[in-house]
Amino acid sequence: MRLPHATSAEGLDFAIVGIPFDTAASFRAGARFGPNGVRNISAMIKPNNVAMGVNIMDSLKGADLGDVPVIPDYIHETYAAIRPWTVFLNVVQFQ
């Protein structure tokens, strides 16, 4: 179900946004690989449920908005970079 890449959430019902950042994790480093891992495994996900006869992509439009640009080893600067994305996503709310 690998989603197409988009640069805007306009017209979307849902979107995937990654934050590949783990500098703030003191014990479980590796979270930076999460967004890429989700994208890789999503290639094996089917958008339809055979038992229920439903294909989610017939009803909803979704896309991958990419990753938030992060700055490794700079926690406060990265949080500042993440903030505009969260504000944007809260305002849009994919209406």
Side-chain angles (χ1 to χ4, degrees):
M1 184 168 115
R2 193 172 288 262
L3 295 172
H5 181 74
T7 57
S8 169
E10 187 174 333
L12 297 179
D13 296 308
F14 71 94
I16 303 297
V17 178
I19 304 175
F21 184 69
D22 64 1
T23 300
S26 60
F27 182 66
R28 299 250 179 188
R32 67 186 176 274
F33 303 117
N36 192 41
V38 170
R39 290 182 182 104
N40 286 339
I41 199 70
S42 74
M44 299 186 332
I45 297 174
K46 304 275 189 241
N48 61 321
N49 182 318
V50 178
M52 298 186 74
V54 175
N55 185 332
I56 190 171
M57 300 311 272
D58 289 342
S59 303
L60 300 173
K61 184 176 180 184
D64 185 342
L65 295 180
D67 289 338
V68 174
V70 299
I71 306 162
D73 296 327
Y74 291 91
I75 295 171
H76 298 294
E77 290 83 350
T78 295
Y79 288 168
I82 293 169
R83 179 85 176 124
W85 283 75
T86 60
V87 170
F88 167 74
L89 293 174
N90 283 334
V91 169
V92 172
Q93 291 185 14
F94 306 106
Q95 297 177 6

